[in-house]
Amino acid sequence: MKIVKHSFDGIIVGAGGAGLRAAIEAAPTMKLAVITKLYPTRSHTGAAQGGMSAALANVEEDNWNWHAFDTVKGSDYLADQPAVDILCKEAIDAVVELEHWGLPFSRLESGKIAQRRFGGHTVKEGAAPAFRACYAADRTGHMILQTLYQKCVSMGVEFFDEFQVLDIKIEDGVCKGVVAYEIATGDLHVFEARAVTFATGGFGKIFKVSSNAHSLTGDGPGMLYQKGIPLEDMEFYQFHPTGIYRLGILLSEAARGEGGILRNKDGERFMERYAPSIKDLAPRDMVSRAIATEISAGNGAGPNNDYVFLDLTHLGEEAIMKKLPDITDFVRTYVKIEPINDPIPVQPTAHYAMGGIPTDVNGRVLSDHKGGVIEGVYAAGEAACVSVHGANRLGTNSLLDIVVFGKRAGQSMVDYVSSTKASPLNESAADDLSNKISGFMEKEHTTEFSVAKIRSELQDSMEENAKIFRSKETLDNQTEILSDLRERYKNVTISDKSKVFNSELLEAIELDYLLDMADTTVASALARKESRGAHSREDYPDRDDTKFMKHSFAFKNGDSVKLEYKDVELGKYEPMERKY
Amino acid sequence: MEIDLKILRYDPENDKKGHWEYYKVDAEPEERILDLLHKIKWFEDGSLSFRKSCAHGVCGSDAMVVNGENMLACQVLVKEVSNPIKIEPIRGLPVLKDLIVDMEPFFDSYKKVMPFLINDDEPGDRERLQSPEDRDKFEDTTKCILCAACTTSCPVFWTADSYIGPAAIVNAHRFVMDSRDQGSKQRLEIMKDVNGAFRCRTAFNCTSACPRGIQVTKAIEDVKRETLLNN
Ligand SMILES: Cc1cc2nc3c(=O)[nH]c(=O)nc-3n(C[C@H](O)[C@H](O)[C@H](O)COP(=O)(O)OP(=O)(O)OC[C@H]3O[C@@H](n4cnc5c(N)ncnc54)[C@H](O)[C@@H]3O)c2cc1C
Ligand code: SF4
Ligand code: FES
């Protein structure tokens, strides 16, 4: 295998919003490269639709403390409050900065950035839904991704496009660099770098029905987990209430922010029963549970009674086309329904990982639950867990998270690089990966152990056993299934033995990360004997603040998972019952 | 239903040139062309290579030629195309393997138009103001996902790959028409170049190819007009 050596001060893995924002911060003062398995503009940040929150107060009175209150309450009190304060306070400058860089936000008549309502965001600590989400129609993420990439192009940031990082080198708790696979050639590249930021995005592909891209396989968290670094709060995975039935393609909460209503098979606006004050704009965990409950009570629509309706018909053609053009298109393209006239069949879809690589508020990766850090390794975006989203993220807070904490990770790289010296990493750093790949190339292919087969069983079983409602029974069952899949994965084989664009090889390696994500999700969920935010245990339906005001830390322990806990950092908001 | 697929394949490690391969796949009428490609790749022939990511028409990875027309494989359903389905890589860019082409020349053209906001004024600590009317002037071209469906459907581009191509002009339009931008002069110079906007022969292929419904030809005409006005 050909091995190419590079020397940089800093490497950023991933070119979504978080990676690009970090790059903009770090590039001016160091030799930096961004490595990405997709062309930057293909990153899933571009799929984000509804908006990015900041208390700009362009439409009505607002202040960042109310945003913080909503975020903490939305998190079911599991978010670390000092981190939430940073998120909400820095939000305002973050949005303004993006505008200065050219982001084409939708505008109010006054010429200011337009803002809309979104689930769980309120004024005056719950008084009424707030106009807080800054948006560009329903393609806000596309505009953020484009603007950040454009800024990188203007700065001449160096990119390695279609290079997949598959190994990180850490010696004695200190970062040395990464090893990447060049997708177009099959060559291995050793990147010496003393500061590395992981911004590889989420891992929705552990579930069958998901709003996530095929590329979202948890590479960053998986790579670090395999090196002994823990993963935080993995039991908290968000299911978005309105995915297109069976396909999982997202229909943004902006649809409800603009007045859309959820209805069951009888046309009833059922959210009135579950969240009397803010109804359809309740946080996602509640709405998804409400839908699941309606469906199990036989109130679902369709021949299998397994979906509900998102009704936009009363909004009028003009508002729909102006404010929700893309999701209207998705419905027309994939369901062949006209949303202006007919309600849309929807069901909850696996959407967002609250958990991930543990970091402090400066993006530094934690090595344990006691506050240890790994020198030179950073993480940001959906791959990371700061934690600002706790047990349930509010809509619009991830686009915010990626820019606020992407920037902070970039700053940390700058500080670290300026205070340390380069330390060499030689070609032999590629040995582990080279051996792994040779293993796949040499092993004869058998369809019984194909990647697709193991992966689809993983996705089907996670969908069945670890989705919205969980119990000891379903989770025990899933633990067994996962351990069987893990055994079978040891024999996984591929049929393509080529070097050029061998995506079957990459899918095989990604499957290992997916299994790690599923293992840690299920183990953490089994141990959390309470219901909080997105984690709902049928056998423990209540929140238990005496035992579980804690973040879980999942460590790899051979083929099993070892769990430790860290106290939540509280602040001015005392945990109270979550009612809307 | 059973679908017949005919795919133009090329393996640079073994083939001198591309060849057709034939597949039969069981599919629901509501499935995407991308789903069919996955069925082949995952359960029949793991070496079939194509790019993909989002699977719902927003990332721009999987432009290809389906039954003679450029489209995103993830945006077209089985029932919308006639059986047998013929799939080829997009034209005018070097084929690297199967349905994967070299995108570097495409991105180089994109970068030539300085696709970023140029404005040296001190912006202050709040957002710049822009009226909804001014914002609307470039709404259409902000939607571009750089999929290359337009550029690789353009007959001028097929014969002269030095032509900057519709996608780059769309991205120039995005900034030229933005009231906040001050870089139009430089950008329009580039458009005046022999390989710039005036090479366009208004064939309209680009507009019909664009999966985002961008009025590409209109954008090119806008840019030509601005260039002339700026002369
Ligand atoms: C459909 C949809 C709509 C959404 N809408 C909203 C919204 O309105 N508001 C909101 O706040 N949030 C929204 N979200 C959530 C939000 O968009 C994401 O959480 C966020 O964009 C993630 O950004 P990221 O930079 O962390 O990762 P991504 O944008 O996913 O980028 C990951 C990057 O990592 C790279 N990568 C991954 N693995 C490797 C590897 N091994 N080697 C090299 N590179 C690698 C990829 O190439 C990619 O560049 C939405 C999410 C979805 C799916
Ligand atoms: S203008 Fe349309 S077809 Fe051309 S690259 Fe952009 S999105 Fe693709
Ligand atoms: S896979 Fe993203 S556009 Fe088709």
Side-chain angles (χ1 to χ4, degrees):
Chain A
M1 232 165 277
K2 188 171 155 202
I3 294 165
V4 186
K5 172 73 203 296
H6 308 262
S7 186
F8 285 92
D9 298 320
I11 290 289
I12 292 167
V13 187
L20 295 176
R21 186 61 192 84
I24 292 166
E25 210 57 24
T29 57
M30 70 178 77
K31 192 166 184 265
L32 179 94
V34 180
I35 306 178
T36 169
K37 68 178 179 180
L38 303 171
Y39 275 100
T41 58
R42 316 277 186 236
S43 305
H44 213 52
T45 292
Q49 300 169 355
M52 162 179 181
S53 274
L56 296 183
N58 284 354
V59 178
E60 60 183 357
E61 187 191 358
D62 198 1
N63 89 51
W64 71 260
N65 284 296
W66 297 343
H67 184 185
F69 170 84
D70 292 336
T71 302
V72 171
K73 182 176 172 189
S75 83
D76 220 345
Y77 297 92
L78 193 79
D80 287 327
Q81 295 190 24
V84 172
D85 283 351
I86 289 174
L87 179 81
C88 299
K89 204 168 166 184
E90 295 184 4
I92 298 165
D93 285 346
V95 168
V96 169
E97 181 177 67
L98 287 169
E99 194 284 327
H100 291 170
W101 290 343
L103 199 144
F105 283 108
S106 296
R107 300 286 175 155
L108 301 168
E109 280 307 321
S110 62
K112 292 180 181 173
I113 293 171
Q115 297 189 278
R116 63 161 50 120
R117 291 171 165 162
F118 237 82
H121 288 277
T122 68
V123 288
K124 302 185 179 141
E125 307 194 350
F131 288 86
R132 186 176 291 142
C134 309
Y135 65 92
D138 56 355
R139 40 182 98 95
T140 315
H142 167 74
M143 302 301 191
I144 291 179
L145 186 66
Q146 294 284 327
T147 302
L148 292 173
Y149 183 60
Q150 290 157 359
K151 178 78 182 160
C152 287
V153 169
S154 78
M155 294 169 70
V157 171
E158 187 167 356
F159 283 91
F160 288 85
D161 295 335
E162 300 196 322
F163 276 56
Q164 188 156 350
V165 172
L166 293 173
D167 199 8
I168 171 159
K169 293 290 156 187
I170 300 171
E171 280 168 26
D172 304 324
V174 179
C175 175
K176 309 287 274 185
V178 295
V179 188
Y181 179 85
E182 183 177 358
I183 301 174
T185 61
D187 296 341
L188 298 186
H189 293 251
V190 172
F191 289 87
E192 172 185 309
R194 58 198 190 277
V196 174
T197 292
F198 283 88
T200 55
F203 46 84
K205 283 291 153 185
I206 57 176
F207 296 100
K208 183 175 169 204
V209 177
S210 168
S211 66
N212 281 201
H214 287 287
S215 52
L216 291 171
T217 47
D219 301 11
M223 240 176 287
L224 292 175
Y225 178 68
Q226 291 176 11
K227 297 280 165 170
I229 291 157
L231 299 179
E232 183 175 353
D233 289 344
M234 292 297 282
E235 60 272 49
F236 300 105
Y237 197 92
Q238 178 167 81
F239 302 94
H240 192 294
T242 55
I244 293 180
Y245 178 55
R246 297 215 303 196
L247 289 170
I249 296 170
L250 194 76
L251 302 178
S252 171
E253 203 165 277
R256 281 170 287 135
E258 297 294 349
I261 291 172
L262 288 167
R263 300 188 186 280
N264 62 21
K265 70 165 191 228
D266 305 319
E268 187 207 358
R269 183 180 194 179
F270 57 86
M271 281 311 299
E272 281 176 338
R273 280 186 275 121
Y274 296 87
S277 78
I278 57 176
K279 306 183 182 81
D280 297 275
L281 284 176
R284 290 174 183 175
D285 56 334
M286 293 188 161
V287 182
S288 285
R289 268 195 300 275
I291 294 174
T293 308
E294 287 298 300
I295 289 173
S296 36
N299 295 334
N304 303 320
N305 297 102
D306 58 352
Y307 58 82
V308 296
F309 292 109
L310 174 62
D311 183 1
L312 307 180
T313 54
H314 53 291
L315 300 184
E317 178 165 358
E318 198 190 324
I320 293 181
M321 290 316 296
K322 184 102 193 144
K323 294 184 163 161
L324 307 166
D326 272 9
I327 63 167
T328 306
D329 249 16
F330 299 153
V331 176
R332 289 176 181 159
T333 304
Y334 298 104
V335 206
K336 307 291 175 211
I337 274 184
E338 179 45 68
I340 297 168
N341 306 324
D342 293 303
I344 311 156
V346 293
Q347 73 182 156
T349 182
H351 184 57
Y352 182 85
M354 267 76 70
I357 306 162
T359 71
D360 67 10
V361 294
N362 294 313
R364 300 191 305 166
V365 171
L366 307 180
S367 56
D368 58 38
H369 50 293
K370 297 177 199 140
V373 297
I374 313 259
E375 295 289 343
V377 186
Y378 308 90
E382 193 171 335
C385 175
V386 179
S387 133
V388 286
H389 309 302
N392 173 61
R393 171 176 74 88
L394 291 190
T396 72
N397 271 354
S398 174
L399 291 176
L400 183 57
D401 172 5
I402 63 180
V403 289
V404 167
F405 292 99
K407 176 178 178 182
R408 285 174 160 259
Q411 280 166 344
S412 292
M413 292 177 81
V414 171
D415 295 344
Y416 183 70
V417 163
S418 64
S419 64
T420 49
K421 282 204 193 57
S423 75
L425 184 68
N426 61 31
E427 274 85 351
S428 64
D431 288 354
D432 293 342
L433 181 57
S434 165
N435 290 337
K436 189 189 267 187
I437 292 171
S438 304
F440 282 113
M441 292 301 175
E442 282 151 23
K443 209 183 294 174
E444 202 181 318
H445 181 56
T446 47
T447 47
E448 195 196 339
F449 294 108
S450 80
V451 177
K453 209 164 169 191
I454 301 176
R455 187 178 49 212
S456 62
E457 284 180 40
L458 168 71
Q459 292 166 338
D460 288 347
S461 59
M462 287 295 287
E463 188 84 15
E464 179 77 27
N465 294 322
K467 215 169 171 174
I468 299 177
F469 287 109
R470 305 150 167 188
S471 67
K472 181 172 184 322
E473 197 188 330
T474 66
L475 294 167
D476 276 340
N477 191 358
Q478 187 60 13
T479 309
E480 237 172 79
I481 293 172
L482 288 175
S483 96
D484 170 58
L485 291 174
R486 177 66 74 184
E487 279 312 307
R488 282 162 56 197
Y489 179 77
K490 290 179 181 156
N491 297 316
V492 73
T493 62
I494 56 174
S495 63
D496 188 1
K497 309 288 184 189
S498 70
K499 285 198 187 125
V500 177
F501 286 99
N502 190 336
S503 43
E504 195 188 12
L505 168 70
L506 293 167
E507 286 183 22
I509 296 175
E510 288 167 349
L511 178 56
D512 193 13
Y513 303 137
L514 285 174
L515 287 167
D516 289 337
M517 298 304 104
D519 282 346
T520 46
T521 300
V522 170
S524 309
L526 193 53
R528 186 173 286 271
K529 296 179 178 149
E530 65 158 353
S531 290
R532 182 186 297 271
H535 171 70
S536 317
R537 287 280 301 253
E538 278 167 330
D539 41 356
Y540 298 95
D542 299 321
R543 194 174 83 192
D544 181 350
D545 287 343
T546 35
K547 281 203 202 117
F548 286 109
M549 281 298 282
K550 287 181 166 73
H551 299 290
S552 65
F553 276 61
F555 291 81
K556 185 170 167 63
N557 181 22
D559 277 349
S560 65
V561 180
K562 181 167 168 267
L563 289 165
E564 301 286 353
Y565 291 89
K566 181 181 143 188
D567 287 341
V568 172
E569 286 178 58
L570 292 172
K572 49 185 180 283
Y573 306 115
E574 284 297 321
M576 55 179 191
E577 196 195 342
R578 223 166 128 238
K579 271 208 191 119
Y580 288 91
Chain B
M1 60 207 264
E2 195 177 68
I3 303 291
D4 288 296
L5 281 133
K6 174 179 170 188
I7 303 178
L8 188 59
R9 300 208 48 184
Y10 167 67
D11 169 7
E13 289 164 77
N14 293 302
D15 302 340
K16 285 215 173 58
K17 57 184 190 51
H19 63 278
W20 293 102
E21 277 191 31
Y22 299 83
Y23 304 89
K24 280 192 191 302
V25 183
D26 214 25
E28 302 288 327
E30 285 75 29
E31 284 187 282
R32 297 162 270 208
I33 303 294
L34 180 66
D35 299 321
L36 303 191
L37 294 175
H38 273 145
K39 282 186 185 176
I40 297 172
K41 180 171 185 70
W42 290 341
F43 302 106
E44 211 170 311
D45 181 351
S47 70
L48 179 65
S49 299
F50 49 91
R51 293 190 177 100
K52 46 95 208 282
S53 184
C54 72
H56 66 286
V58 295
C59 79
S61 294
D62 57 344
M64 47 190 80
V65 186
V66 179
N67 287 350
E69 280 175 58
N70 281 13
M71 50 187 85
L72 299 174
C74 66
Q75 214 186 36
V76 183
L77 308 189
V78 168
K79 64 180 174 197
E80 295 171 308
V81 292
S82 57
N83 194 11
I85 303 173
K86 189 170 93 173
I87 305 180
E88 304 156 77
I90 44 179
R91 301 178 193 132
L93 292 166
V95 178
L96 299 178
K97 184 182 181 183
D98 296 342
L99 302 169
I100 297 177
V101 299
D102 183 1
M103 292 293 287
E104 291 302 320
F106 175 82
F107 280 108
D108 287 346
S109 293
Y110 161 76
K111 285 173 195 155
K112 277 197 197 125
V113 306
M114 299 191 290
F116 38 81
L117 191 83
I118 300 175
N119 183 328
D120 294 333
D121 296 346
E122 181 44 55
D125 53 15
R126 283 300 298 241
E127 71 259 47
R128 292 190 181 92
L129 301 182
Q130 183 171 52
S131 70
E133 295 73 38
D134 280 344
R135 168 66 178 75
D136 272 350
K137 289 183 185 145
F138 63 105
E139 162 70 5
D140 202 33
T141 44
T142 61
K143 297 187 304 203
C144 175
I145 52 173
L146 298 168
C147 69
C150 54
T151 298
T152 60
S153 71
C154 172
V156 180
F157 180 75
W158 293 338
T159 50
D161 61 7
S162 51
Y163 171 40
I164 197 159
I169 304 172
V170 160
N171 282 278
H173 181 278
R174 143 81 188 83
F175 291 100
V176 169
M177 306 305 281
D178 187 336
S179 59
R180 301 168 299 169
D181 185 77
Q182 302 170 340
S184 291
K185 219 175 152 41
Q186 294 144 275
R187 270 189 215 101
L188 294 176
E189 274 310 310
I190 300 162
M191 289 299 133
K192 262 195 260 170
D193 183 271
V194 285
N195 289 315
F198 291 93
R199 279 213 108 145
C200 165
R201 291 282 164 265
T202 42
F204 276 97
N205 285 17
C206 52
T207 304
S208 20
C210 178
R212 300 288 283 161
I214 298 171
Q215 298 302 309
V216 182
T217 314
K218 178 178 177 298
I220 299 174
E221 291 301 306
D222 285 351
V223 168
K224 284 185 189 166
R225 197 179 52 247
E226 289 294 315
T227 312
L228 294 173
L229 286 175
N230 257 268
N231 241 337

